[in-house]
Amino acid sequence: MVDDVSFDKFGIAGYGMGIDLGASYKILDNLTLSAAILDLGFISWSKGSTTRAVANASARYEYDSYNFLFEGDLLDFNLPKFENRGENAYQTSLASTLVWGGEYTFLDNKLGAGILSTTRFGRPKTFSELTFSANYRPKSWLGVTLSYSVLQSDMKTFGMGCRLGPFFIGTDYMFLSSSSSQSVNAYLGVSIPLAD
C-alpha cells in the first residue's frame, strides 16, 4: 500500500544505459543453442529521486515464488517496495537476466521442440525459470508457439505466441485455472533483420 504520493513538479528523474549481449550457434542442421545476458547497465538518479528498490531481505513482500508472484492482481518480477534515498544523487545497477536455451527441429524445420532457462538476478533473491516449448512453422513468414513453464508458477501456467512476417505477439504465465490470477504477461513487437 502506497500513500501520500505528491506530483508537485515534473522533470527527468535520471539517466542510464543498458545493453543486451547474445549469441546462437547451430551445432547440427536441426539443433541450435543460444545464450544471452540482458540488462547490463545502470541508472543514475537525480537528487531527491525516489525509486522502486529493495531495502533489505526482510522487506514486507516475500519472494516465495508462487504466492507472491501469482496470487492476486500483481504479476511482476520486481519487488514493489519504495525506498527513499534522500536528497543526494545516486546510482543503481540494472537487474540482469541470464537466458540460455536450445531447439531441435523436425520435418525440414517446420516443427521444433525447445527448452529455455531464465535466471533473473534480483535483490534480495535470484529467480530461475525453466520453459518448454513446441513450435510450428508452416511457412517462412508464419510461426506459432506453445510453451509451458514449470518452476515459478507451481506448474500451472502456459504461454503462446504467433509471428506473422516481421510482427509477433504472445503471452506467458497464462494460468490453467482462471481463479489463480487476474493478470497475464503479454508482449508484442516487430523484428527487422539487418542481414540474411
Side-chain angles (χ1 to χ4, degrees):
M1 182 69 70
V2 177
D3 54 14
D4 194 25
V5 176
S6 175
F7 296 98
D8 56 346
K9 64 179 182 177
F10 293 92
I12 297 175
Y15 63 91
M17 181 184 76
I19 60 171
D20 300 335
L21 301 173
S24 64
Y25 184 70
K26 198 166 192 175
I27 296 178
L28 304 170
D29 287 341
N30 54 353
L31 178 61
T32 302
L33 300 180
S34 58
I37 182 90
L38 311 176
D39 296 330
L40 289 171
F42 67 93
I43 298 176
S44 290
W45 299 97
S46 304
K47 290 183 179 181
S49 295
T50 299
T51 184
R52 185 167 70 180
V54 176
N56 51 51
S58 62
R60 178 174 168 237
Y61 293 93
E62 260 183 51
Y63 272 112
D64 66 351
S65 75
Y66 179 76
N67 292 327
F68 171 72
L69 293 174
F70 298 100
E71 286 187 353
D73 298 333
L74 179 66
L75 179 56
D76 192 353
F77 283 102
N78 297 309
L79 190 64
K81 178 179 171 65
F82 284 91
E83 177 186 353
N84 194 334
R85 297 292 187 96
E87 294 299 320
N88 296 324
Y90 61 96
Q91 190 175 91
T92 59
S93 61
L94 299 177
S96 299
T97 302
L98 174 67
V99 293
W100 61 264
E103 184 187 27
Y104 191 85
T105 60
F106 311 87
L107 299 177
D108 198 27
N109 202 40
K110 285 185 170 55
L111 291 176
I115 184 172
L116 178 69
S117 170
T118 305
T119 302
R120 293 177 175 89
F121 299 99
R123 295 177 298 271
K125 192 171 182 181
T126 296
F127 281 97
S128 294
E129 181 60 275
L130 191 62
T131 302
F132 299 94
S133 68
N135 313 305
Y136 179 49
R137 294 176 287 262
K139 302 290 183 182
S140 61
W141 49 269
L142 175 64
V144 293
T145 296
L146 290 176
S147 66
Y148 182 60
S149 300
V150 298
L151 297 180
Q152 297 298 331
S153 59
D154 201 26
M155 301 182 74
K156 293 182 179 179
T157 65
F158 69 97
M160 62 180 116
C162 179
R163 181 180 67 85
L164 186 62
F167 303 98
F168 60 88
I169 185 170
T171 182
D172 54 12
Y173 292 115
M174 293 182 66
F175 282 80
L176 298 175
S177 169
S178 60
S179 63
S180 296
S181 176
Q182 299 175 8
S183 301
V184 295
N185 184 20
Y187 54 89
L188 57 93
V190 60
S191 177
I192 302 173
L194 300 178
D196 193 3

